[in-house]
Amino acid sequence: MDVICKKCGHVHQFKIEVTDFSGFVCANCHSYFKGSTLETLTYVKEFSAPLMMQWASLGELVRFKKNSYWIITKIQRYSKNGEYGNEFVGLNANREDIYFSDGVDYACALHTVEREKVMLLPQSNICKFNNVKYNLEYTEEQTVVYAEGFVFEDLESPSTTNTYIQVVNEDRFISQEFIDNDVQYYQGIYLDDEDYYQIFDIYKSYTAQKEIAGTKLRNIGILAVLLLAALFWFLNWGQIGKDEYKFDEKFFAKKTNSEFVGASFELKGDKPKKLVLEGISESKNHPIQLMIKLVNEKTNEIIETGTAVHDNNDINYASGLTVDFCRIQPGVYHLVFVTSSSNGSTDMAVNFELNEDYKLTYGGTSYVFLITCLVGLVVLVGIFRHNMLAIKNKDFVARGEGLSYVDILKFDWLGVALIAFFAFFIAVSLFVNSSTNCRTTLRTSTLEDHTYTGSRSHYYRSFYGSGGSYSGYGSGHK
């Protein structure tokens, strides 16, 4: 069956005969004609292009539940609640029709049922079909905004649809439609989105467009990850590199209240960095208090830690020691270890001995925040990818090759979300690196046995000579 548009001359070919129609809409020029025969078709108006993607093609053969149907009608409706919906009419060789319908949050297939088989219960929002109850859930008033092919209603008149959901199975429903001062009933079933769209040929090309859009978003994600890493390097470039210095020093004095000057060392570079002391402090006399001073040998600037109590450890006379010196300028320095009695007693004249076995680390940056933000960025892009490729956004994805990277960034404000994410990353990084958020701290911990496990495992001391007696000499690094 061929239908020739009386306005543009476009030929529409159908492989099935269609009768009992009330109009026709040209798929080429979108002209709407009224008439019950091809000879009496009269021009009415011209529709604009559809505002929502339509999956079916006019004249397409589709298969549904082992039956084959030719699509003879495409209609797009707009409801008062601001949502668009599509309707496609199929007709098979036995002159049986089927209606496919989809919208923002639904997809379904419907068949016409005789109105006598639907019973509306008086003074209630309930109907019965085949002795099964259906509750009225939705009422919509719609107008036609686009159509193609044969039509069976006046497209200039609004229609009202009442949807009754089955009590037993919410996937099944009865649709009561008031069209052209008449009422019609349809039995419908809700379908999974993917199952529904796979019926139509356009979906096959859509999957290819979906891959293109997903690839572009993936490229944006890769670029964002690289940019985040570059920003981290830029904001922390003076801190990333680190130098290490190891010392094993032994000090002797006649009194517990003493100051011991350590060896000089040079901190190289051109930016201030954190200086971290990690080691073991051992005193044969106890209890004492320990304070550490960092002295700049050129400027004589002194940075002091707080005072820590060097507790009695009757196993090995030692404590684990950690000091964070905040943002130290490059230069030549030495440490001063200040000891005093911790019980408030007067300075005792004893043979005082202090062993300091420690490592200094100058610079270095924690990557925990970077790794956390990288994971967060991947999750953020993944969420947008899931939303973008969801079937509800098919109109956006269907543009496929026509989508630019700017279009991708505009999707659901993805670009704004990325800018906000990077702004957060920069702000936190600057805050962490700011001197206003930096202070020198000292921490001590009790070492549990002669191997110092549990506190500074990278150090190992030998305190026992032959026969198990305390040797009293030095220490070694593991």
Side-chain angles (χ1 to χ4, degrees), residues 259-267 275 291-305 325 328-338 360:
E259 291 190 357
F260 306 102
V261 178
S264 298
F265 53 90
E266 181 180 2
L267 304 180
L275 179 66
M291 180 175 67
I292 300 175
K293 299 179 181 180
L294 177 67
V295 181
N296 188 313
E297 295 186 356
K298 181 178 180 180
T299 64
N300 204 36
E301 179 186 6
I302 300 174
I303 301 175
E304 296 181 349
T305 68
F325 292 101
I328 305 302
Q329 293 284 351
V332 179
Y333 294 83
H334 64 258
L335 294 174
V336 177
F337 300 90
V338 182
L360 295 174

Side-chain angles (χ1 to χ4, degrees), residues 151-319:
V151 295
F152 307 90
E153 63 186 271
D154 183 355
L155 300 186
E156 295 183 293
S157 299
S159 61
T160 300
T161 301
N162 294 326
T163 303
Y164 294 82
I165 304 297
Q166 189 182 110
V167 175
V168 178
N169 184 354
E170 293 185 351
D171 285 340
R172 296 186 177 274
F173 62 95
I174 295 294
S175 179
Q176 179 190 45
E177 300 185 9
F178 297 91
I179 303 175
D180 298 343
N181 298 318
D182 192 15
V183 59
Q184 297 176 351
Y185 290 91
Y186 303 87
Q187 182 187 26
I189 180 171
Y190 288 111
L191 304 172
D192 177 76
D193 286 345
E194 294 292 331
D195 292 339
Y196 173 83
Y197 293 114
Q198 286 176 0
I199 297 172
F200 308 108
D201 290 339
I202 292 179
Y203 184 84
K204 299 172 184 176
S205 61
Y206 166 75
T207 54
Q209 305 293 73
K210 191 174 181 180
E211 182 66 25
I212 293 172
T215 298
K216 289 186 176 181
L217 182 57
R218 182 191 63 193
N219 293 342
I220 289 176
I222 293 174
L223 181 62
V225 167
L226 294 176
L227 179 59
L228 192 72
L231 273 174
F232 179 83
W233 179 85
F234 175 77
L235 294 171
N236 299 278
W237 73 269
Q239 309 290 333
I240 291 177
K242 63 181 180 181
D243 299 312
E244 292 185 353
Y245 313 84
K246 293 183 179 180
F247 300 88
D248 189 357
E249 300 177 320
K250 183 177 292 188
F251 306 104
F252 301 92
K254 296 296 184 181
K255 294 183 178 181
T256 54
N257 294 350
S258 300
E259 291 190 357
F260 306 102
V261 178
S264 298
F265 53 90
E266 181 180 2
L267 304 180
K268 299 179 180 180
D270 56 2
K271 285 185 173 294
K273 302 179 184 179
K274 178 189 285 189
L275 179 66
V276 179
L277 181 153
E278 294 179 291
I280 299 166
S281 178
E282 177 188 351
S283 171
K284 282 189 176 181
N285 302 84
H286 48 77
I288 64 165
Q289 293 185 142
L290 176 67
M291 180 175 67
I292 300 175
K293 299 179 181 180
L294 177 67
V295 181
N296 188 313
E297 295 186 356
K298 181 178 180 180
T299 64
N300 204 36
E301 179 186 6
I302 300 174
I303 301 175
E304 296 181 349
T305 68
T307 302
V309 176
H310 204 304
D311 291 324
N312 176 19
N313 184 337
D314 55 5
I315 298 177
N316 52 33
Y317 309 100
S319 291

Side-chain angles (χ1 to χ4, degrees), residues 4 26 32 64 69 83 99 112 114 117 136 155 162 170 173 214 230 232 338 341 411 438 475:
I4 302 175
C26 176
Y32 171 37
F64 183 71
Y69 301 88
E83 294 182 353
Y99 297 81
T112 305
E114 298 177 7
K117 293 185 177 181
L136 177 63
L155 300 186
N162 294 326
E170 293 185 351
F173 62 95
F232 179 83
V338 182
S341 299
F411 174 79
C438 185
S475 63

